[in-house]
Amino acid sequence: MKQLHHTEIDNTQQKFPITIVCDAIRTPENIGMCFRISESFGVSKIFLHETSPSIENRIVKKTARNTLNQIEHETYADFDLLIQELKADGNTIIGIEITDKSIDLQQFNFSTTEKIVLLLGSERNGIENINLVDKTVAIPMYGRNSSMNVVHSLAITLYEATNQLKKVLIETS
């Protein structure tokens, strides 16, 4: 068995109809990792709040590696307005958040939505206006801790969502 170097791996490149909205995420490492993970899972676009660390931030660049130029991104100022615009464009807004209405991630059917927005709340306060989301999903956890890092939640959610969407694409082709 030989461990492969990243230059020896030829991934099947695919874009999914998934957009990420980062709701005032403050940590440069989280912004950088959001890019890196999103690019790995074929996300179409990322929206960053104007108060989040810039993609010019040294730590963001280091953490994101070369993915900053590989995924479309944009900044926004007004959270409510952005969500309204995304909904008007046919997106289903799915908050990755623990609420009294959250659906277990593995029970949520991502394939019933044509365009998906995954909404990440800030590290400290969660999603700014939870009432704007269409649905919330929560990752089942089995330890004492009730939450995890926002980017780890994103990675787990993207894994589940893209697996479901990939299966639908295979079945319809």
Side-chain angles (χ1 to χ4, degrees), residues 105-125:
L105 178 63
Q106 293 133 325
Q107 303 305 313
F108 190 84
N109 188 350
F110 288 95
S111 64
T112 61
T113 57
E114 196 169 313
K115 292 167 35 175
I116 298 168
V117 169
L118 293 178
L119 179 55
L120 303 176
S122 73
E123 297 94 341
R124 181 170 292 156
N125 302 315

Side-chain angles (χ1 to χ4, degrees), residues 96-99 102 123-124 137-150 152-153 156:
I96 305 173
E97 189 68 76
I98 301 168
T99 71
S102 291
E123 297 94 341
R124 181 170 292 156
V137 294
I139 298 163
M141 296 176 60
Y142 305 103
R144 289 189 181 135
N145 188 17
S146 65
S147 68
M148 65 178 68
N149 175 279
V150 65
H152 293 121
S153 297
I156 293 167

Side-chain angles (χ1 to χ4, degrees), residues 35 39 55-56 64-73:
F35 272 85
E39 194 283 328
I55 61 166
E56 298 304 318
R65 296 175 77 167
N66 63 344
T67 60
L68 291 173
N69 297 322
Q70 296 174 357
I71 188 164
E72 186 180 350
H73 55 278

Side-chain angles (χ1 to χ4, degrees), residues 3 13 17 27 39 41 57 61 80 90 104 115 122 133 155 158 173:
Q3 183 174 350
Q13 295 188 12
T27 310
E39 194 283 328
F41 281 103
N57 178 292
K61 286 181 176 180
D80 291 9
D104 183 323
K115 292 167 35 175
S122 73
V133 305
L158 282 171
S173 58

Side-chain angles (χ1 to χ4, degrees), residues 16-77:
F16 290 94
I18 301 173
T19 298
I20 306 299
V21 173
C22 297
D23 183 17
I25 292 179
R26 307 271 187 246
T27 310
E29 291 87 352
N30 283 340
I31 295 295
M33 286 307 297
C34 179
F35 272 85
R36 194 163 171 194
I37 288 167
S38 293
E39 194 283 328
S40 296
F41 281 103
V43 166
S44 296
K45 187 171 185 176
I46 299 173
F47 283 94
L48 302 171
H49 191 271
E50 65 183 5
T51 62
S52 291
S54 160
I55 61 166
E56 298 304 318
N57 178 292
R58 178 184 59 81
I59 297 169
V60 170
K61 286 181 176 180
K62 180 180 178 188
T63 310
R65 296 175 77 167
N66 63 344
T67 60
L68 291 173
N69 297 322
Q70 296 174 357
I71 188 164
E72 186 180 350
H73 55 278
E74 192 175 319
T75 58
Y76 68 94

